C-alpha cells in the first residue's frame, strides 16, 4: 500500500445499563487497544479509535470516539468501517445486555432479583458486512483450550489474525500492563509472545499487520 493506511481500533469494555445506577461490564482497562492505536499512529498511519468507558486517557489519534454500550460501539464502528484498511477489535465487548432498561432505580425487594439478558450483536461480523477492510484482527480472551478456541473464532469471524490470551494467568491480561499472547493466522501459524508489555505486543501485532498489507 503506497498511501498511509487507516486503522480503525476499538478498545476497552462496553457498559450495558440495567437502571440509572447499575450496569453490566468487565474489567478491561483499554490498555491493549490504546497501545495498538498509539503504535499505529507512531508509524504514520491514520488512526480512528473507538473506546468504551476506560479509566485511562486515550492516546492522541486522528479521531477518537468514546462510546458506552456494545450497540453504540457497533454504530461507531460501522460508521467508520468504509474508511478503514485495517480493523483491530481489541475491545472487550459485552456479549449480553439486559433485555430491558429500568428508568427508575430498581428497588431492593424481599427476595432475589433475576435479570433477563439478550445477546448483543457481533460487531466484527456486522461491520464486515458493510465493508471488509484489507486486514481484520480479533482478540480472544479464553479460560481454557486457548489455541483451539482461538482458531474456531478466527475461522468463524473470518479474521486474518487473532490474538489469543489465557485470562487465568496471574498478573497478566485484564487491567495489567503485561500479557502473554499467541497470534494465530489463516495459514495455521502460531506466534507465541511470552510475558511482556502491552506496548511490545502492539509492536508485534502491527509488524504482522504491515506484512499482510504489504503482501
Ligand atoms: O467470541 P468472542 O467474544 O470471544 O470474540 C472476541 C472478538 O470478537 C474480539 O475481537 C471482540 O472485540 C469481538 N467481539 C465483537 N462483538 C461482540 C463480541 C466480541 O466484535 N459482540
Amino acid at each position: 500500500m503506497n498511501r498511509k493506511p487507516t486503522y480503525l481500533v476499538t478498545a476497552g469494555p462496553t457498559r450495558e445499563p440495567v437502571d440509572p445506577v447499575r450496569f453490566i461490564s468487565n474489567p478491561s482497562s483499554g490498555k491493549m487497544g490504546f497501545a495498538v492505536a498509539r503504535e499505529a499512529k507512531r508509524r504514520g498511519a491514520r488512526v480512528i479509535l473507538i473506546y468504551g468507558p476506560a479509566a485511562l486517557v486515550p492516546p492522541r489519534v486522528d479521531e477518537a470516539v468514546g462510546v458506552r454500550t456494545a450497540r453504540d460501539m457497533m454504530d461507531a464502528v460501522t460508521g467508520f468501517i468504509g474508511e478503514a484498511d485495517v480493523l483491530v477489535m481489541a475491545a472487550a465487548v459485552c456479549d449480553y445486555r439486559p433485555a430491558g432498561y429500568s428508568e427508575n432505580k430498581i428497588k431492593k425487594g424481599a427476595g432475589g432479583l433475576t435479570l433477563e439478558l439478550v445477546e448483543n450483536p457481533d460487531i466484527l461480523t456486522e461491520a464486515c458486512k458493510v465493508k471488509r477492510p484489507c486486514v481484520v484482527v480479533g482478540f480472544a480472551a479464553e479460560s481454557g483450550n486457548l489455541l483451539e478456541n482461538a482458531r474456531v473464532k478466527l475461522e468463524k469471524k473470518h479474521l486474518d489474525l487473532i490474538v489469543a490470551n489465557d485470562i487465568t494467568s496471574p498478573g497478566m491480561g485484564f487491567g495489567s500492563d503485561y500479557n502473554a499472547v499467541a497470534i494465530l493466522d489463516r495459514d495455521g501459524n502460531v506466534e507465541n509472545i511470552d510475558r511482556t508489555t502491552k506496548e511490545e505486543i502492539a509492536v508485534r501485532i502491527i509488524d504482522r499487520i504491515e506484512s499482510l498489507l504489504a503482501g
Side-chain angles (χ1 to χ4, degrees):
M1 183 168 291
N2 293 326
R3 61 181 173 80
K4 63 178 180 179
T6 296
Y7 279 64
L8 178 55
V9 181
T10 68
T14 66
R15 188 178 278 185
E16 313 297 329
V18 174
D19 70 13
V21 295
R22 302 184 180 96
F23 56 81
I24 295 173
S25 192
N26 61 64
S28 169
S29 63
K31 279 178 192 161
M32 191 64 247
F34 287 177
V36 169
R38 197 177 292 113
E39 178 62 16
K41 188 74 214 142
R42 196 186 67 74
R43 295 194 194 193
R46 178 170 170 251
V47 178
I48 303 164
L49 174 65
I50 315 288
Y51 62 99
L56 301 172
V57 179
R60 277 178 176 273
V61 292
D62 298 278
E63 305 238 19
V65 181
V67 296
R68 265 189 353 142
T69 67
R71 286 181 295 172
D72 296 341
M73 184 173 279
M74 187 174 76
D75 289 346
V77 171
T78 50
F80 281 107
I81 195 81
E83 301 173 36
D85 301 299
V86 179
L87 171 63
V88 181
M89 276 294 307
V93 183
C94 289
D95 291 320
Y96 295 94
R97 67 176 186 274
Y101 172 74
S102 170
E103 297 287 346
N104 297 310
K105 184 181 170 191
I106 298 169
K107 291 276 178 228
K108 191 156 66 175
L113 175 69
T114 303
L115 271 184
E116 189 190 342
L117 303 179
V118 293
E119 207 172 338
N120 270 328
D122 191 89
I123 299 173
L124 267 170
T125 307
E126 296 306 318
C128 289
K129 280 184 197 162
V130 177
K131 185 212 128 187
R132 192 185 189 282
C134 301
V135 178
V136 180
V137 182
F139 281 68
E142 303 292 337
S143 55
N145 297 327
L146 181 65
L147 297 181
E148 295 86 333
N149 288 337
R151 177 135 324 269
V152 168
K153 280 180 193 173
L154 177 104
E155 301 291 343
K156 192 172 154 211
K157 299 194 178 194
H158 306 289
L159 305 172
D160 296 294
L161 301 172
I162 191 157
V163 183
N165 77 293
D166 182 348
I167 54 170
T168 61
S169 305
M172 288 191 262
F174 275 132
S176 168
D177 288 333
Y178 298 89
N179 210 349
V181 304
I183 304 179
L184 285 71
D185 68 17
R186 300 183 73 80
D187 297 327
N189 301 309
V190 179
E191 177 185 350
N192 284 302
I193 304 177
D194 292 340
R195 185 178 191 273
T196 186
T197 60
K198 289 183 175 175
E199 281 73 22
E200 174 59 21
I201 293 171
V203 166
R204 305 275 288 269
I205 292 169
I206 294 186
D207 285 347
R208 296 292 299 270
I209 292 172
E210 285 188 345
S211 62
L212 287 170
L213 285 174

